Amino acid sequence: MAAKDALPRERIDEALTGLPDWRFSDGGLVTVFKTPTAAAALEVIAAVGRLAEEQNHHPDLDWRYNRVFIRYTSHDAGGQVTGRDLTAAAGASDAAAAAGAVAEPSKYAPDH
């Protein structure tokens, strides 16, 4: 995959209308999932990890007690957003919902 696979911002914005858990920020697709407990946050992390292995596409991920911060970009496309990121974000949202998480994308900050 190369930078030519990067999606233009208009396409990203269009796709985000179908991904309400996510925002474009910090150069990628980002969100925060808030869970009822720290253990539930670990369930989200494990589920996202399984998806990452299946898709061979791994996010930047950070855990803070009952919140999981996730950022998707395609490193092999120059750190830009590709269709793989959109697919991965959708899967992460499904996994998070199954673990009882609530998306708080506006709470994402690069420094958490």
Side-chain angles (χ1 to χ4, degrees):
M1 199 168 277
K4 66 178 173 54
D5 296 313
L7 298 174
R9 179 62 192 266
E10 303 80 40
R11 174 68 182 99
I12 295 167
D13 290 342
E14 177 184 304
L16 285 173
T17 63
L19 294 169
D21 294 347
W22 297 83
R23 300 287 180 269
F24 181 80
S25 180
D26 191 28
L29 300 181
V30 301
T31 197
V32 177
F33 289 113
K34 181 180 180 187
T35 61
T37 64
L42 289 171
E43 290 175 26
V44 170
I45 291 167
V48 169
R50 283 189 296 276
L51 285 171
E53 287 298 301
E54 290 169 13
Q55 298 169 346
N56 193 30
H57 193 59
H58 302 81
D60 296 329
L61 189 142
D62 193 11
W63 170 41
R64 309 287 180 172
Y65 178 60
N66 68 336
R67 285 187 172 85
V68 180
F69 296 75
I70 303 176
R71 179 176 174 266
Y72 279 105
T73 62
S74 292
H75 300 286
D76 55 358
Q80 298 182 66
V81 175
T82 67
R84 288 178 22 193
D85 299 300
L86 298 173
T87 300
S93 287
D94 291 344
V102 175
E104 298 180 328
S106 64
K107 298 210 174 178
Y108 183 93
D111 59 357
H112 314 306

